[in-house]
């Protein structure tokens, strides 16, 4: 390859075209991605470590290998020594990034009555003697019966392997963790059970650690989903898993390691121990759950996109690489249908959609957008999903990036220029999802693009760039990369495609449930992107409907809140199963009107008519 080639940086999703021969370090700097460095790119400090995960790059020489050391075996290279020879995807470890992506780990919470499936009992036993030669497990079961009046009939075999040491190391006083009628773990006296709630998203993993006795949230953390280097959307990851002999194992392993890493860090930060982790609840979309659990995915790739199982399951924590009590299980709720998975069930559970006698539309916007409608009086919910693509995550947008330092997240076009706000309040290097939506809305409001999304009005900031017509949001004199940060004709069209799919999903859901749009009482917007979205901008580009009676509520990461509820309450786990039974699934692509609704949805709405409608109450 001789011409310019594209390099993409993950997990922040920044891309740039550079000439063949450019170093990864220089390419990163050129697009404003700040790698750590103490030697200015001289190959001496070893701080700029990155992992080229695909594509053609130069070989490491002896000097580079000496600096990288043992991490060379894990594929790590010095960004300042690697020359690009073709299209390349590069993973930047957290330690090599000056500032990482903003990952939303929290959502709106409402209290739930504690009713965990694992309970802790403190017991004290007399030492074993020749005159009392009961086996260790019998001694524990007897103590539970005598001291707590609970009938426990056995223990997980891996618990039995640690019983002997645990009793003797703790001088015959221990904490026993019991699930139903089985011992699942032992810990030092006074310990309380821990639970881990995880939202396994396509882009990020959010986790919370809870004390199951008190319900106290001991800490939360988020990391990018490391599978992203194998594909930005679920379909490309499923393809990778299907087409490569070890692809499925690779995708399962990286995500299991990431979850275990987050759990380990949270437990350590809370000053607790892994053997106190006795329960977990992991939610994710159908593809994420299949890849995590190692389910076959061949049938998920082709129509009719059937999952191996849609039922809830409890799997051994050890089976998915989670360091926990020996008998700890991980609960994975069931899926509704298609790609509408356990995360959407958790979102419905957390947001209370369906509990109130009101008509509520719930939208979780992501690479795959899930939509659910609870119609007042219907007695059931209806859900669907649409492939909205990764544009709202900044992908396929010329200057798009994930929500990280330097991303423009707010845009206002004024008479004298452009006002913008960046994450971290540093000079801009690109646009994240909420900034892109704001920018398109502003271009539309000012008539700079027409309803078909074409740049048409002459404006001092509209120029012709290498990608065609573009609007300059920030000039190279003020940007963090020295290059203009722009939104192009191509970008506007990408957003139109994404929002057209969501618009079609909402319209069809209303049609199949015979729900007049004006009946909608509330719109709940879930997900990280949705929580940073400017509602007016989303309405003005037609991403979400402006509805006369609707109140809009942004609930953040409701999926992880649902996972927390299922973790601390068996009743909530049951309610999630009821949601599965009560929610029908509509496949959009079989709807004859889908194409027409999608095409209509791509248009930017008539703002005046839209506002008049919003005023009608
Ligand atoms: S920047 Fe110091 S080794 Fe690359």
């Amino acid at each position: 390859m001789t011409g310019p080639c594209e390099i993409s940086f993950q997990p922040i999703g920044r891309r740039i075209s550079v000439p063949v021969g450019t170093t990864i370090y220089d390419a990163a700097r050129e697009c404003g991605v700040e790698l750590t460095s103490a030697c200015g790119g001289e190959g001496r400090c070893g701080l700029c470590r990155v992992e080229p995960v695909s594509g053609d790059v130069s070989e490491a020489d002896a000097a580079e290998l000496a600096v990288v050391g043992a991490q060379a075996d894990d594929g790590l290279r010095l960004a300042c020594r690697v020359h690009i020879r073709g299209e390349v995807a590069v993973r930047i470890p957290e330690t090599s990034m000056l500032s990482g992506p903003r990952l939303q780990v929290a959502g709106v919470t409402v209290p739930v009555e504690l009713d965990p499936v694992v309970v802790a009992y403190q017991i004290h036993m007399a030492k074993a003697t020749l005159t009392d030669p009961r086996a260790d497990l019998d001694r524990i079961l007897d103590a539970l019966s005598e001291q707590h009046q609970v009938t426990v009939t056995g223990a997980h075999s891996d618990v039995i392997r640690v019983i002997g040491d645990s009793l003797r190391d703790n001088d015959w006083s221990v904490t026993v963790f019991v699930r139903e009628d089985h011992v699942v773990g032992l810990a030092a006296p006074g310990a309380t059970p821990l639970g881990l709630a995880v939202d396994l998203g396509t882009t990020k993993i959010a986790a919370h650690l809870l004390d199951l006795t008190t319900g106290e949230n001991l800490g939360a953390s988020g990391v990018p989903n490391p599978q992203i280097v194998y594909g930005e959307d679920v379909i490309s990851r499923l393809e990778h898993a299907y087409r490569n002999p070890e692809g499925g194992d690779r995708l399962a392993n990286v995500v299991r390691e990431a979850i275990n890493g987050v759990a380990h860090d949270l437990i350590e930060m809370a000053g607790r121990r892994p053997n106190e982790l006795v329960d977990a609840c992991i939610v994710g979309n159908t593809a994420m759950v299949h890849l995590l659990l190692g389910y076959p995915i061949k049938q998920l790739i082709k129509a009719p996109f059937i999952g191996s199982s849609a039922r809830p399951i409890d799997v051994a924590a050890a089976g998915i690489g989670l360091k926990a009590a020996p008998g700890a299980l991980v609960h994975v709720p069931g899926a509704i249908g298609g790609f509408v998975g356990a995360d959407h069930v958790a979102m419905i559970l957390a947001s209370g959609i369906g509990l109130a006698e009101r008509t509520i539309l719930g939208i979780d916007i992501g690479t795959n957008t899930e939509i659910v409608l609870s119609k007042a009086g219907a007695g059931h919910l209806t859900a669907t999903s649409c492939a909205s693509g990764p544009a709202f995550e900044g992908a396929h947008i010329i200057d798009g990036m994930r929500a990280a330092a330097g991303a423009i997240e707010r845009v206002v076009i004024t008479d004298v220029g452009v006002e913008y706000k960046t994450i971290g309040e540093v000079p801009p290097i690109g646009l994240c999802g909420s900034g892109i939506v704001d920018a398109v809305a502003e271009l539309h409001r000012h008539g700079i693009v027409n309803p078909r999304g074409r740049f048409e009005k002459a404006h001092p900031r509209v120029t012709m760039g290498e990608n065609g017509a573009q609007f300059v949001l920030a000039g190279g004199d003020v940007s963090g990369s020295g290059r203009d940060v722009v939104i192009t004709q191509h970008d506007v069209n990408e957003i139109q495609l994404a929002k057209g799919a969501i618009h079609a999903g909402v319209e069809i859901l209303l049609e199949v449930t015979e729900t007049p749009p004006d009946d909608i009482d509330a719109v709940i917007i879930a997900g990280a992107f949705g929580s940073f979205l400017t509602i007016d901008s989303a309405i003005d580009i037609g991403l979400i409907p402006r509805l006369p009676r609707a109140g809009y509520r942004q609930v953040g990461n409701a999926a992880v809140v649902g996972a927390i509820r299922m973790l601390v309450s068996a009743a909530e786990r049951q309610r999630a199963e009821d949601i599965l039974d009560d929610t029908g699934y509509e496949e959009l692509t079989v709807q004859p009107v889908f194409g027409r609704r999608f095409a209509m949805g791509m248009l930017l709405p008539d703002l005046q008519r839209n506002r008049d409608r919003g005023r009608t109450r």
Side-chain angles (χ1 to χ4, degrees):
M1 192 160 179
T2 51
C5 43
E6 189 177 83
I7 175 166
S8 70
F9 293 98
Q10 302 297 355
I12 63 168
R14 197 76 182 88
R15 291 181 159 72
I16 191 169
S17 281
V18 290
V20 166
T22 307
T23 64
I24 291 177
Y25 184 84
D26 286 341
R29 284 215 320 200
E30 193 161 339
C31 66
V33 174
E34 294 188 84
L35 297 177
T36 48
S37 160
C39 70
E42 294 295 321
R44 285 183 278 107
C45 69
L47 292 176
C48 64
R49 288 159 204 241
V50 295
E51 183 189 1
V53 286
S54 66
D56 192 7
V57 295
S58 61
E59 299 293 325
D61 60 19
E64 183 188 343
L65 288 174
V67 175
V68 178
Q71 283 192 317
D73 295 340
D74 299 330
L76 288 182
R77 302 283 309 272
L78 297 180
C80 62
R81 298 291 98 183
V82 185
H83 295 269
I84 300 159
R85 290 180 175 156
E87 203 165 291
V88 179
V90 175
R91 181 182 76 86
I92 310 175
E94 221 176 310
T95 45
S96 300
M97 245 188 296
L98 273 186
S99 50
R102 174 174 69 186
L103 299 168
Q104 189 179 38
V105 295
V108 176
T109 51
V110 282
V112 56
E113 200 171 316
L114 284 180
D115 170 27
V117 295
V118 177
V119 179
Y121 297 97
Q122 306 295 328
I123 56 170
H124 179 73
M125 290 149 288
K127 213 171 173 175
T129 62
L130 283 173
T131 55
D132 179 8
R134 285 174 297 162
D136 288 343
L137 178 59
D138 291 333
R139 201 171 291 275
I140 289 173
L141 302 188
D142 290 346
L144 285 168
S145 171
E146 287 156 15
Q147 295 168 33
H148 296 281
Q149 294 75 52
V150 291
T151 305
V152 179
T153 56
H156 189 281
S157 60
D158 287 337
V159 178
I160 295 173
R161 292 192 183 100
V162 300
I163 278 184
D165 284 348
S166 184
L167 291 187
R168 287 156 187 86
D169 290 351
N170 291 297
D171 199 20
W172 302 90
S173 286
V174 288
T175 304
V176 187
F177 299 122
V178 175
R179 182 182 178 122
E180 293 168 358
D181 60 356
H182 264 61
V183 177
V184 295
L186 297 169
T192 52
L194 299 177
L196 183 75
V198 179
D199 171 31
L200 172 53
T202 313
T203 307
K204 60 206 161 290
I205 300 169
H208 290 242
L209 184 73
L210 283 101
D211 185 311
L212 297 179
T213 302
T214 61
E216 186 189 353
N217 197 325
L218 301 175
S221 181
V223 292
N225 185 330
Q227 292 174 335
I228 207 156
V229 294
Y230 302 105
E232 290 193 351
D233 53 51
V234 290
I235 297 298
S236 40
R237 283 185 220 173
L238 292 173
E239 290 276 355
H240 177 89
Y242 176 56
R243 308 226 171 272
N244 297 283
E246 289 170 7
D249 287 345
R250 197 177 299 136
L251 285 167
N253 288 340
V254 294
V255 83
R256 289 173 182 181
E257 277 170 24
I259 293 172
N260 190 48
V262 175
H264 174 269
D265 291 349
L266 286 172
I267 291 169
E268 204 166 81
M269 280 188 290
R272 306 292 291 267
R273 300 171 68 88
N275 66 333
E276 295 165 21
L277 181 61
V278 292
D279 197 12
C281 178
I282 300 181
V283 300
N285 66 41
T286 306
M288 288 298 104
V289 166
H290 273 59
L291 291 170
L292 171 74
L293 299 182
Y295 288 167
I297 44 87
K298 185 176 166 189
Q299 77 292 347
L300 262 183
I301 296 176
K302 290 186 249 166
F305 310 108
I306 300 300
S308 299
S309 167
R311 301 306 308 162
I313 191 166
D314 292 302
V315 298
I320 59 164
L322 183 62
K323 266 197 198 138
L329 297 180
V330 175
H331 181 70
V332 183
I336 292 170
F339 283 94
V340 183
D343 52 350
H344 200 57
V345 173
M347 186 283 258
I348 294 170
L349 182 74
S351 58
I353 296 174
L355 289 181
E357 267 306 302
R358 300 168 73 211
T359 297
I360 300 175
L361 188 68
I363 308 179
D364 193 341
I365 302 169
T367 310
N368 211 55
T369 293
E370 291 96 18
I371 309 165
V372 65
L373 181 78
S374 167
K375 184 179 176 183
H380 64 267
L381 309 177
T382 311
T384 191
S385 74
C386 55
S388 38
F392 295 127
E393 306 273 4
H396 304 172
I397 300 294
I398 301 292
D399 275 337
M401 62 182 288
R402 296 216 163 77
I408 294 177
E409 59 171 345
R410 291 278 173 269
V411 176
V412 177
I413 298 174
T414 67
D415 291 342
V416 290
V418 178
E419 288 173 6
Y420 54 77
K421 179 175 176 294
T422 61
I423 296 173
E425 300 190 351
V426 296
I429 57 171
L431 283 154
C432 65
S434 57
I436 297 164
V437 171
D438 262 11
V440 175
E442 281 289 272
L443 292 175
H444 181 39
R445 288 174 191 132
H446 288 264
I448 298 167
V449 295
N450 67 19
R452 295 191 173 279
R454 308 288 311 169
F455 277 93
E456 66 172 16
K457 182 174 153 183
H459 188 283
R461 284 188 175 249
V462 175
T463 60
M464 285 304 286
E466 57 195 56
N467 297 293
Q470 62 183 21
F471 184 90
V472 180
L473 293 163
D477 53 331
V478 293
S479 76
S481 60
R483 299 156 59 99
D484 291 350
V485 177
V486 300
I487 181 156
T488 68
Q489 180 68 73
H490 159 89
D491 301 337
V492 175
N493 298 149
E494 284 289 323
I495 292 299
Q496 287 178 280
L497 281 169
K499 69 112 183 168
I502 296 171
H503 176 93
V506 171
E507 291 260 310
I508 291 173
L509 208 50
L510 294 177
E511 284 169 22
V512 296
T513 56
E514 297 179 353
T515 308
D518 291 357
D519 281 4
I520 295 177
D521 296 302
V523 177
I524 290 177
I525 302 161
F529 164 70
S531 62
F532 294 109
L533 196 59
T534 309
I535 293 290
D536 281 341
S537 294
I539 293 170
D540 281 353
I541 69 165
L543 171 60
I544 55 173
R546 183 190 295 275
L547 298 163
R549 290 164 53 188
Y552 298 87
R553 194 151 66 92
Q554 290 162 286
V555 294
N557 189 340
V560 82
V561 175
I564 291 172
R565 295 180 78 90
M566 284 182 264
L567 185 64
V568 300
S569 163
E572 289 292 288
R573 227 171 260 202
Q574 180 56 50
R575 200 157 78 76
E577 291 204 29
D578 295 342
I579 288 170
L580 279 181
D581 293 340
D582 294 344
T583 307
Y585 173 70
E586 285 293 335
E587 174 58 47
L588 283 186
T589 52
V590 301
Q591 299 289 338
V593 292
F594 177 73
R596 215 163 349 120
R597 295 284 177 272
F598 181 60
M600 289 299 292
M602 284 181 59
L603 296 176
L604 297 171
D606 178 330
L607 294 179
Q608 194 49 52
R609 216 181 65 193
N610 209 354
R611 287 194 183 117
D612 290 346
R613 188 163 179 233
R615 275 188 217 110
T616 316
R617 285 173 189 271

